[in-house]
Amino acid sequence: MKAMVLTEPDEPLAYKDVEKPVLQQNEVLVQIKAAALNRRDYWITIGKYAGIKYPTILGSDGAGVVVEAIDEAGRQWLNKEVIINPGHNWGNDDQYQGADFKILGLPDDGTLAEYVKVNVEYLHPKPAHLTFEQAAAIPLAGLTAYRALFTKGGITAGSKVLVVGAGAGTGTYAVQFAVAAGCQVFVTSGSGQKIERARQLGAAAGVNYKAQDWAEELKHMCGGFDVVIDSALGKDFAKIPDLCNPGARIVFFGATAGSIPELNPRTLFSKQIQLLGTMMGSPDDFINMLEFINTHKIVPVVDELFPLTQTQQAVEKMGSSSQFGKLVITV
């Protein structure tokens, strides 16, 4: 089969012939129709991720059709359209992932290929209202945003929500999910165009974080936030607690702008603010996310489609952070 392979450090992804996966018990072969990139893939390609091995087929997100099975568990899925939960071996506690947790696309070969093998427990029916390209954009970013908002953030209708960095895949999902849940949503971005795109998704307003007074602007617009979703951190994170209402939850994942800076502890304890770390989500989170997407007929934001042979160009675009939404690979 054809696949995009990470062959060695400091080399671009290579379009190569590789062996088709060999199935074991409870596994099926999924013919990938579309895959999608995540920031994780970019960090791996530039060597800034733990546990990199060579060669590896990257790709955590994928949608396709089950075409092969070797046992009854798998045959029940034959010819069905599916998406894949990329978070494997979560563990026994919904509160956190266990020691054996891993993400599809490293260490196990992922979805940037014509075929991928998947244990049946990680298969889910593709939402009927979505194309393969739209469905492929869901798994990792959608799961991360859903858990951050609902499981960790505890949003409810009427919550005032701030999404920091609205242009990323997780950011666009956070806006869409929070709007669908009846929240009042505000955003930050370094691009006026991305702020306008977020408003088209239902955000009430947004500010450019490159402006000196961006935090004051938000305070004037909203008054205060009940939930903040942040995947950037960095020095500006120090301004977030001052924007929070009493009892607010600040949920964070990723650190694209750096580490957590020094914070004023008095603001945190006097307002009873919770700082909550999160990472992807449990199997129940994935099921609940899909139910939410199906109920509200949410359509993922796809920035651009690339053929499998041009995956390296898509990775480079991700490195520039110029996209709004997901970069999807057609196979």
Side-chain angles (χ1 to χ4, degrees), residues 228-268:
V228 178
I229 305 298
D230 191 331
S231 63
L233 302 181
K235 62 181 179 59
D236 284 342
F237 188 79
K239 299 179 181 180
I240 297 297
D242 289 332
L243 297 174
C244 289
N245 290 327
R249 283 83 64 201
I250 303 173
V251 187
F252 62 95
F253 51 88
T256 56
S259 299
I260 295 177
E262 183 176 339
L263 301 175
N264 183 349
R266 294 172 183 80
T267 303
L268 296 175

